[in-house]
Amino acid sequence: MGKALGPTGEFFRRRDEWRKHPMLTNQFRHATPGLGIAVVAFGIYVAGEIAYNKIYAPSHASPRSH
């Protein structure tokens, strides 16, 4: 491995082990496995709908006739 840590280095290494616990790392990603793909797909849908509405804008001549 590397150089021996000594008593002080070992003390701090043990104190930092909680940072690598599985409950604290990447929990959001594992809790929502398809969220990233869904956000990208929704963004593409919204961009496509905005482009479609700009290209084929509805006429505002007569909103409703009675």
Side-chain angles (χ1 to χ4, degrees):
M1 201 153 109
K3 191 171 99 174
L5 293 175
T8 306
E10 184 66 27
F11 173 81
F12 286 112
R13 187 186 67 75
R14 282 184 281 134
R15 296 304 182 269
D16 285 339
E17 284 179 355
W18 67 271
R19 297 177 194 267
K20 296 181 177 127
H21 193 276
M23 291 288 288
L24 299 174
T25 57
N26 286 330
Q27 279 299 303
F28 187 70
R29 201 180 98 202
H30 292 299
T32 58
L35 182 65
I37 294 171
V39 167
V40 170
F42 183 71
I44 291 170
Y45 165 76
V46 170
E49 187 173 0
I50 290 172
Y52 177 82
N53 287 337
K54 286 190 184 279
I55 293 170
Y56 301 106
S59 64
H60 299 292
S62 174
R64 201 177 353 179
S65 61
H66 292 286

